[in-house]
């Protein structure tokens, strides 16, 4: 069984910064990619950013230039540095990982429970 646990959410003023972390644990053979999505109240989940095991990153247009995704492969941890935060960034942020549990298994996706980020003055 694999678990993803996020941390780092909270209340921040517009223009401020937060850093989210997500650690994967359990039966993990290899991780292909890790990333973040968010869901604001009353809205659909929105993909935010992702990073592969080779370090290739991708961002949603809405966060490009303000958010940075990074990864510590040794710790199976992904980070999301969020700068210049706006009220519209308010959402529950969840991390995901595409991984496989054994050398002969297939890749599958796992999601964390999420951490709330509120941007408000």
């Amino acid at each position: 069984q694999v678990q993803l646990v996020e941390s780092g959410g909270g209340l921040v003023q517009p223009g401020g910064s937060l850093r989210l972390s997500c650690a994967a644990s359990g039966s993990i053979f290899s991780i292909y990619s890790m990333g973040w999505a968010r869901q604001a109240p009353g809205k659909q989940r929105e993909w935010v950013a992702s990073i592969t095991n080779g370090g290739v990153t991708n961002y949603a247009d809405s966060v490009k230039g303000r958010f940075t995704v990074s990864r510590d492969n040794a710790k199976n941890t992904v980070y999301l540095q969020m700068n210049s935060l706006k009220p519209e960034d308010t959402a529950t942020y969840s991390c995901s990982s595409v991984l496989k549990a054994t050398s002969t298994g297939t890749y599958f996706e796992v999601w964390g429970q999420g951490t709330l980020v509120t941007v408000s003055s």
Side-chain angles (χ1 to χ4, degrees):
Q1 190 172 357
V2 178
Q3 279 189 318
L4 300 182
V5 179
E6 301 99 334
S7 61
L11 173 64
V12 63
Q13 292 187 339
S17 298
L18 275 178
R19 188 192 194 209
L20 306 182
S21 300
C22 172
S25 63
S27 179
I28 300 171
F29 176 75
S30 70
I31 296 177
Y32 171 68
S33 67
M34 301 186 78
W36 296 89
R38 66 186 182 186
Q39 187 166 20
K43 294 189 177 181
Q44 289 188 332
R45 180 185 285 175
E46 173 192 23
W47 169 78
V48 174
S50 62
I51 182 168
T52 69
N53 57 0
V56 176
T57 58
N58 285 285
Y59 298 93
D61 287 343
S62 57
V63 306
K64 203 171 292 185
R66 299 187 298 123
F67 291 9
T68 301
V69 62
S70 61
R71 178 173 164 179
D72 185 333
N73 290 335
K75 296 181 179 179
N76 289 337
T77 298
V78 64
Y79 305 96
L80 186 67
Q81 177 67 43
M82 305 184 293
N83 299 328
S84 303
L85 283 161
K86 306 174 182 179
E88 51 264 44
D89 294 318
T90 295
T92 296
Y93 285 71
S94 300
C95 75
S96 68
S97 179
V98 176
L99 55 87
K100 58 179 180 180
T102 65
S103 60
T104 56
T106 57
Y107 283 101
F108 59 96
E109 189 171 37
V110 181
W111 286 88
Q113 293 290 331
T115 183
L116 179 62
V117 172
T118 303
V119 184
S120 175
S121 55

